[in-house]
Amino acid sequence: MPTDGPADPAGPGPLATAWYVVGGLLAVGHLVLPFGPMHDVAYVAMAAGAFGLGVAALVRHRPQPRRPWWVLVGGIGAWLVGDIAWAAAEDVGRGPSFPATADVFYVAGYVLFIVGLVGLSRRRRGEGYLEAVLDASIVGTVSGLLAYVWFVAPAWAEARSGSWDLVVELCYVVFDVILVARVLHLARVEAGLAPPTRLVGLAFTAVLVGDLLRNVAGRVPEVAEVPHALDTWWLLGYLLLGSAFVHPALHALGTRDETRRPDQLGVGQVLTLCGGILVLPTVLLVEVLMGREPDVVAVVLASIVATILVGARLALLARRMRRQAEALRRVASTDGLTGLANGPAFAAALRARLGAGGGSRVAVVLVGLDRYTEITDILGYRVGDGLLRAAAERVRECVGPDGTAARLGGEAFAVLVDVADDEDALAWAGRIRAALATPFTVHDIEVTVDALVGMALAPDDGFDVDELLQRADVAMVAARNRTERVARYTGRMSANGALTPHLATELPAALAAGQLVLHFQPQVGVAAGTVTKVEALVRWQHPVHGLLPPAAFVPAAERTGLVRALTRQVIDLALAQAARWRAEGRPLAVAVNLSAHDLLDPETVTRVRDALDRHGLPPEVLELEITETMAMVDPERSLAVLRGLALDGVALSVDDYGTGYSSLAYLQRLPVQRLKIDRSFVAGLVTDRASAAIVRSTIELARHLGMTVVAEGVEDDVTLVVLREMGCDAAQGFGLGRPVPADQLLDLVGLVEERVPRVLHRARPVGNRVV
Ligand code: C2E
Ligand code: CA
Ligand code: CA
C-alpha cells in the first residue's frame, strides 16, 4: 500500500528513478538525433519534464520557503514556452530570427530565476549573510568587467544603433552576470545544506556554462561549429532541476535544524579574494598582449569597486575572528554540561577575589550531591546528566549575580560568595541546601538528592586558592557524618580522619619528600624518676594541612601496605636521633611502633639489623612495640619475626595491653620483655576500683613472668604515685611530658628529672590527692 509519509532519504523513490532513466534517455537522444523535429522534441520534453516535476513536487511536498520554489518553477515554465517557440520557428523553416518571440520568454525566465534564487538565499539572513553578499558582489564585479570587456564592449562597437538585437544580447549578458553572483551567493549561504538546493545551484551553473559558450561562440566561430556545444549545457540544467524536484530531501527543506558551517579563514578563501582582485589587471595585460585597445576606464572602475568590497570583506573576516576568539574563551571557561563556570574559571575567579582584598570575607562553598553515583547507577546517565543540569540551574539561581557558581566536575559544585561572618556563611549553606531539597523531575522521574555542603572562609581558613578549595573539600567530606550535612573547615578536621582518603594518595610522595617527622615522649622510671627511654611518635608535616597526627594517615598506610616503608623511615629517623643524643652524652633508648605488616614480613629482621649497623648503635637502644591484636593475625609468622628480632638483642614490648583478647599466658610464649598497660585502664586508676584491680594484677602477673610494666596515659601525679605503690616500672603520659620534637626533648627530660623525683620521694597518695 503506498503511503504518503516522508520519502526514504536513504535512496531515491520510484519517481526519481523514473526521472533519471527518462531524463538520461532524452539527453542521449538529444545528442545522437540529427537536427530536426525529433531532436527538438527531446529537448522540449526534458524542459517539460523538469517543469512538470517541479509543479508536482511543490504541490506534494510544500518545501519551505514555498514562494521562491514556485518562482523558480515559473522560470522553467517560461523557458519551456520559449523552447517551444524557438523549436516551432526553427521547424517551420523560417529559422529563428534574433530577437524572436522565444527571447521574450527566455528573458522572463531569467528574471524569475534571479528572483527565485534571491528568495532561496534570503531566509538564511543572519550570521555570515553579509560576508556572502560581499563575496557575491566581488564575483559579480569581476565577472561583470569580464563580460563587459569581452562581450558587451565589442557588441556595442559593432552594433547598428537602435538595434533590438543589441538590447536583447546585453540583457542576456547582464542576467548572466547577476546569475553568477546569485548562484555563488546561494552556494556560500547554503554551504553544507540541503541537496535539492545544491542541485538547483548546479543546474544554473550548467546554464551559465552554456550561456558563456554562446557568448564565446558569437566571437569565436570555431566554438559555434561544435555541434550541441551550447544546448547540451542547458539540457543538463533542466536535468539537474528535475533531479532537485525528485530529491527525497525536498520534503524536509526548511523543517530541519540547519547547522551552519562557521566562516573560517581558509587559505582557499584568501586565495579566492586575491585572485578576484588579480583578474582585473590581468585583463588589461591580456588586452595589451592581444594588441587590443585596453579598457582602462572600465578596469580601473571595477578595480576600485572590487577593492572596496574586498576591504569590507576582510574587515568582516577580522570581526568574525575576534568573535570566534571570544567564543573560544567562553567555551574554555564553561562547563559543557551545565553551562556554569568550570573548575579553572572558578579558581581564576577566586584568585581575582582574593587579590582584590576588601573588607569582607570570602566563602568557598563546595556542594556535593550525596548518593549521586547510586542515582546514575540505577537510573542511568541520561537522568544523571539531567539532574546535574537541573541542580546547576538551582545553584545558579540561588547564588544570583552576587557570587560565582561553578561545577568542578562530577557531582561537585562550587560557590564563591562574600560573607560578613560565620553565620552569614552558614546561612548561604542553608539556602543552597534548601534550593536543592525540593525533588527534581528529570525525564519524568522524580529524584530527591541530599546536598553535602563544606565551607572554607578566607582569610580565616587560608589565603591561597588551592588551600581554600582543598579545605572546603575536607569540610564537605566531614559534612557527610553530620546530621545537618553542613560543615565549616576547622583545623581539627584532618585529625578526625576526614582527610584520610585524600591523604593516602599523597603519602608515597610525602615519604619520598621527607615530610615525616618524629616527636618523642619520655618514659620515666618510677623508682628513680629518671628518663632512660623515649617513644618515637610519627607526624606528617603536610605542606597544606600542617602537622598531621598519626591517626590521620597511619590507618590508611596500614590498609595499603605502605606502612612498611613508613616503619622503615621511622626506625631510621629514630635511630639517627638516638645516635645524636648518644654523641651528646645522653644515651636514650627509643621505642618505635610496628604494624601488623612489619610483623608478618621476615625482612623486618634484617632491615632492623641493617639500620642499627648503619647508625653504629647496639641493639638494646631500640625497642619495638607491637600490639596483641597484631601478633594474633598470623601467630606463627609473627613469632618467627619476633624471635629473629629478640635473637638480635632488640627489645620488644606489648603495646596497648588490655585492649585485646589474648591472655598473659599466650603472651608469655612471645619473646617480649615489657607490657605497656593501655591508658584506658591507667586513666581510671585513682577513681575506678575495677581499673585499679586490673592494673595491680597485671603488674603482679607480669613481674611473676619476668616482664617489666610501663603505664601509659599518666596524666597526673596521683596516678604516678599510685603506680609506684603498685610496683610499676615505668610511666609515660601527658602528666610527665607530652611528645615533643627532638630539639625540645632534652630540655623536657631535664624538667622531668628535676620535678618527678621530688614528687616521688615526698609524696604519698591520700585519696585522689598527693600529700
Ligand atoms: P600509641 O603507641 O599508644 O602512642 C601513644 C599515644 O598516646 C600518642 O598519640 C601519645 O601522644 C598519646 N598519649 C601519650 N600520653 C598520653 C596521655 O597522658 N593522655 C592521652 N590522652 N594520650 C596520651 P599519637 O602520637 O597520636 O599516636 C597515636 C597512635 O599512633 C599510637 O598509639 C600508635 O599506635 C600510632 N603511631 C604513632 N607513631 C607511629 C609509628 O611510627 N608507626 C606506627 N605504625 N604507628 C604509630
Ligand atoms: Ca606505642
Ligand atoms: Ca599505646
Side-chain angles (χ1 to χ4, degrees), residues 370-701:
D370 204 13
R371 289 179 36 249
Y372 175 79
T373 330
E374 282 95 321
I375 292 171
T376 51
D377 280 354
I378 297 166
L379 302 176
Y381 275 99
R382 221 164 64 90
V383 173
D385 284 356
L387 177 64
L388 288 178
R389 260 186 235 116
E393 197 43 50
R394 291 206 196 158
V395 172
R396 190 204 322 260
E397 257 172 40
C398 181
V399 173
D402 304 335
T404 307
R407 174 169 171 247
L408 299 187
E411 75 283 12
F413 296 95
V415 168
L416 177 66
V417 277
D418 281 4
V419 290
D421 47 32
D422 291 11
E423 262 155 52
D424 197 10
L426 279 176
W428 268 109
R431 277 199 291 278
I432 294 170
R433 264 183 56 78
L436 295 169
T438 328
F440 294 88
T441 308
V442 185
H443 298 295
D444 290 335
I445 298 174
E446 190 160 294
V447 188
T448 311
V449 294
D450 190 14
L452 299 171
V453 179
M455 293 184 295
L457 267 56
D460 315 58
D461 303 332
F463 308 93
D464 172 74
V465 171
D466 291 337
E467 191 174 48
L468 283 166
L469 277 169
Q470 195 154 8
R471 293 191 162 177
D473 192 28
V474 168
M476 193 172 81
V477 174
R480 181 166 284 125
N481 298 319
R482 299 202 179 171
T483 30
E484 69 273 23
R485 314 293 258 166
V486 174
R488 151 94 194 273
Y489 175 81
T490 67
R492 267 174 297 121
M493 270 177 183
S494 32
N496 69 15
L499 268 176
T500 305
H502 300 264
L503 289 178
T505 59
E506 294 178 34
L507 197 54
L511 279 169
Q515 288 175 3
L516 294 189
V517 294
L518 295 184
H519 282 193
F520 297 90
Q521 187 178 29
Q523 284 178 12
V524 184
V526 173
T530 53
V531 178
T532 50
K533 184 167 280 184
V534 292
E535 181 176 357
L537 295 159
V538 71
R539 276 99 183 84
W540 179 356
Q541 188 63 60
H542 193 282
V544 174
H545 304 295
L547 194 68
L548 298 175
F553 57 95
V554 171
E558 267 164 2
R559 277 197 295 280
T560 57
L562 191 67
V563 74
R564 288 211 301 271
L566 182 141
T567 303
R568 211 180 319 158
Q569 202 169 90
V570 170
I571 289 177
D572 209 52
L573 289 169
L575 291 181
Q577 189 54 51
R580 236 167 277 142
W581 284 323
R582 182 169 280 253
E584 289 168 25
R586 269 316 301 244
L588 289 168
V590 285
V592 169
N593 295 280
L594 288 190
S595 78
H597 285 276
D598 303 309
L599 215 51
L600 297 175
D601 183 0
E603 299 235 326
T604 303
V605 182
T606 42
R607 274 206 213 108
V608 168
R609 196 184 301 144
D610 291 349
L612 285 165
D613 289 349
R614 214 169 30 250
H615 294 284
L617 290 171
E620 59 272 16
V621 168
L622 183 63
E623 177 175 306
L624 295 174
E625 300 188 2
I626 59 154
T627 65
E628 313 158 57
T629 348
M630 269 181 213
M632 296 287 282
V633 175
D634 183 343
E636 291 311 310
R637 272 169 77 184
S638 306
L639 197 60
V641 172
L642 289 173
R643 284 210 179 113
L645 289 167
L647 224 63
D648 281 349
V650 175
L652 298 170
S653 60
V654 174
D655 201 358
D656 302 345
Y657 177 73
T659 56
Y661 300 100
S662 48
S663 65
L664 261 184
Y666 164 72
L667 290 179
Q668 200 200 347
R669 292 177 48 212
L670 302 179
V672 292
Q673 297 88 29
R674 271 153 82 90
L675 285 189
K676 294 186 78 178
I677 302 180
D678 190 69
R679 68 166 176 270
S680 54
F681 303 106
V682 176
L685 194 58
V686 179
T687 48
D688 172 11
R689 290 175 64 197
S691 293
I694 291 171
V695 171
R696 186 187 302 273
S697 63
T698 304
I699 293 172
E700 276 167 15
L701 209 59

Side-chain angles (χ1 to χ4, degrees), residues 685-686 696 716-726 759-771:
L685 194 58
V686 179
R696 186 187 302 273
D716 48 48
D717 291 347
V718 198
T719 308
L720 178 68
V721 173
V722 171
L723 284 167
R724 183 193 58 184
E725 303 296 310
M726 289 179 174
V759 172
L760 286 169
H761 288 130
R762 278 198 263 120
R764 214 164 30 83
V766 174
N768 55 8
R769 293 186 309 121
V770 194
V771 294

